[in-house]
Amino acid sequence: MIGVLLADSLAYNFTDPVATQFLAGISKTLDESHVNMLLLPSSSDNYQNTQVETIPDSFIVYGKPVDSSIINLILRQHKPVVAVDFTLPDIPSINVDNHKASYDIAMHAIHSSEDNVLILGLRLEASTSLSLANLDNLYTSDESVSRCRFEGYKQALEENGIPLSFENVWQIHDLDETTLKTMLRGTLTAPSASMSCFV
């Protein structure tokens, strides 16, 4: 039995296209090996009256949960753990260089120092607002893959002499395709004319 701990709610992960592909890949591999999968919730409330974390023989932790106490519950089992998209001390991890990838994307999209750039970041801070009041309350790079990507975008802007204003950094809270299309349509038809968008 492989326990898969998701950083977000179970419902959210079934609307996230990346998470669904990730789970489909794991499921295919486990099916071929005749191994079962147990999805574990990211909320500590779900562990109050149960010992579900004791059931799996090993764990895959997909993304760092906001509630770090759940990680401690799993590590206390002293069973094999693999982290995905973040790191844990002395635990094997599988990661993409999000900073470098985002930097390369931005460098490809930017055409000149006159570009008007809008960054759409997936939950860059704990608030649920769309626009940011400032850049002081962002998650750290250790807490959020989105922050790693943001730093890559920021580096590309700096190297191209484009000032970064918090008014041009928006948060995405929902990866629903219709919601994203509505947001992008609104930003691209805004009076501020042409702009490069990074997600």
Side-chain angles (χ1 to χ4, degrees):
M1 176 76 74
I2 305 294
V4 179
L5 174 63
L6 304 167
D8 293 287
S9 68
L10 297 180
Y12 175 86
N13 280 276
F14 284 106
T15 64
D16 180 345
V18 177
T20 53
Q21 289 183 49
F22 176 78
L23 290 171
I26 290 177
S27 300
K28 182 176 184 296
T29 301
L30 296 183
D31 282 345
E32 292 170 351
S33 302
H34 308 293
V35 175
N36 297 309
M37 177 171 66
L38 176 65
L39 292 180
L40 298 169
S42 59
S43 171
S44 58
D45 293 341
N46 293 80
Y47 296 84
Q48 296 298 323
N49 301 310
T50 179
Q51 292 184 316
V52 67
E53 74 278 3
T54 66
I55 298 173
D57 302 296
S58 55
F59 298 89
I60 298 170
V61 183
Y62 178 50
K64 185 174 183 179
V66 175
D67 187 349
S68 60
S69 65
I70 301 170
I71 294 286
N72 295 331
L73 281 176
I74 287 176
L75 294 179
R76 281 202 295 266
Q77 304 307 308
H78 301 290
K79 297 175 180 177
V81 177
V82 174
V84 179
D85 264 355
F86 77 109
T87 57
L88 286 169
D90 304 317
I91 298 294
S93 63
I94 300 170
N95 295 285
V96 171
D97 189 341
N98 285 281
H99 183 285
K100 176 68 164 56
S102 298
Y103 170 82
D104 290 344
I105 289 169
M107 292 298 282
H108 178 75
I110 293 171
H111 300 290
S112 77
S113 59
E114 303 301 315
D115 282 0
N116 185 20
V117 175
L118 174 68
I119 297 175
L120 305 180
L122 179 62
R123 289 177 293 176
L124 290 166
E125 63 175 23
S127 80
T128 57
S129 63
L130 282 179
S131 58
L132 300 183
N134 53 58
L135 299 178
D136 298 332
N137 300 314
L138 302 182
Y139 289 122
T140 66
S141 295
D142 290 335
E143 293 173 316
S144 169
V145 169
S146 294
R147 177 61 188 272
C148 296
R149 295 171 183 158
F150 177 74
E151 291 301 319
Y153 299 146
K154 192 165 75 169
Q155 180 184 348
L157 293 179
E158 290 172 355
E159 291 183 9
N160 282 277
I162 300 175
L164 175 64
S165 169
F166 70 84
E167 291 96 342
N168 281 8
V169 182
W170 291 18
Q171 289 199 98
I172 298 171
H173 299 282
D174 187 348
L175 290 176
D176 174 71
E177 185 176 342
T178 303
T179 303
L180 289 176
K181 283 182 178 178
T182 301
M183 179 179 280
L184 286 170
R185 189 178 296 114
T187 57
L188 292 174
T189 57
S192 52
S194 62
M195 57 179 65
S196 301
C197 290
F198 310 135
V199 180

